[in-house]
Amino acid sequence: MKKQGSWTRWESVKDRSLTWQDIWSMEGHRIKFLLCSTYDVLPTPSNLHTWGMVESPSCTLCGKIANLEHVLSSCHSSLADGKFRWRHDQILAQLAEGVEQARKRTRQLSNGPRFIHFVRAGESAAAGGRNKGVLATANDWEMRADLKKQLKFPEEIAHTTLRPDIVLWSRGTKQVVLIELTVPWEERMEEAYERKLKKYQTLILESQHNGWKAWNLPVEVGCRGFAGRSLWRALGLLGIEGLARKRLVANTTRRAEEASRWIWLQRKVRWQSRPTEGLGT
């Protein structure tokens, strides 16, 4: 019960609810993977060993205990052969597509991002409280994503060997936005966020020293298809709101589900030839 209830400790994960309409429209294999991975009841070697169905709980690739976290997020062999990177790029491509659409959208310019001001019940909000977002401050935004070919950070902003996943910059207003995607185990989202925030802090400071207003936006999409709150906040800061934000988050999380399920199936093939005992296959 402690393991199957671990989702209650996902403090940095955005709430997700499945309506009956969602369930009816989802493919059966997708629902099965989503539910079984969330409650950690997929037949991993670790679970099969606990259930008395195999002799060893070890990973056939690296020898470590093959629980679900190991299979989907921690196996060094899967990291070395590019499976985790492939999943990351699948999600990044979906995210970059949504951000690119927002970048190209014609908008009325504002002086700067304005954020929602919450008011107490019964009070009225002040005029102009709607968030316009960073993208609404310029019409000359350029964008690069670390896909297909290695991203080169714009040298006019700062000289660095770091490669954020997405860079947006406006020459006219001297603003730059860094977006760095991580696909962690859901319980480690906060740790991933802090790590990437620290990684790019020097680049942010150098950009500011060179006269640019810089934004560092680490975002997380969990390997089981749950979006981090950081992703929701980052899209809102950019000015991607309403239905567009909901659709982009849904598309990125679905891409994470599909990629992780593929990784899971690839690993499962290796286990099917292992001898079983007790409860059968």
Side-chain angles (χ1 to χ4, degrees), residues 171-187:
R171 290 186 174 91
T173 58
K174 297 202 73 172
Q175 296 181 96
V176 59
V177 180
L178 281 59
I179 302 176
E180 178 71 7
L181 170 69
T182 310
V183 189
W185 184 245
E186 276 78 358
E187 293 178 43

Side-chain angles (χ1 to χ4, degrees), residues 212-272:
W212 291 72
K213 187 173 184 179
W215 310 79
N216 184 12
L217 303 179
V219 299
E220 295 81 46
V221 177
C223 59
R224 286 174 282 186
F226 289 82
R229 294 177 183 174
S230 59
L231 176 60
W232 187 260
R233 291 194 305 266
L235 296 179
L237 178 64
L238 291 175
I240 304 174
E241 297 181 309
L243 186 58
R245 177 158 60 165
K246 291 179 180 178
R247 283 178 175 171
L248 182 50
V249 170
N251 289 338
T252 55
T253 54
R254 175 164 185 166
R255 191 64 65 90
E257 288 176 24
E258 293 172 344
S260 288
R261 181 174 176 271
W262 182 85
I263 292 173
W264 158 254
L265 292 175
Q266 293 295 310
R267 295 296 300 274
K268 189 178 178 182
V269 170
R270 291 178 173 267
W271 306 329
Q272 289 178 336

Side-chain angles (χ1 to χ4, degrees), residues 198-216:
K198 182 178 180 181
K199 177 180 179 180
Y200 290 98
Q201 186 60 28
T202 301
L203 178 55
I204 290 293
L205 292 175
E206 183 178 348
S207 300
Q208 292 173 344
H209 178 74
N210 293 335
W212 291 72
K213 187 173 184 179
W215 310 79
N216 184 12

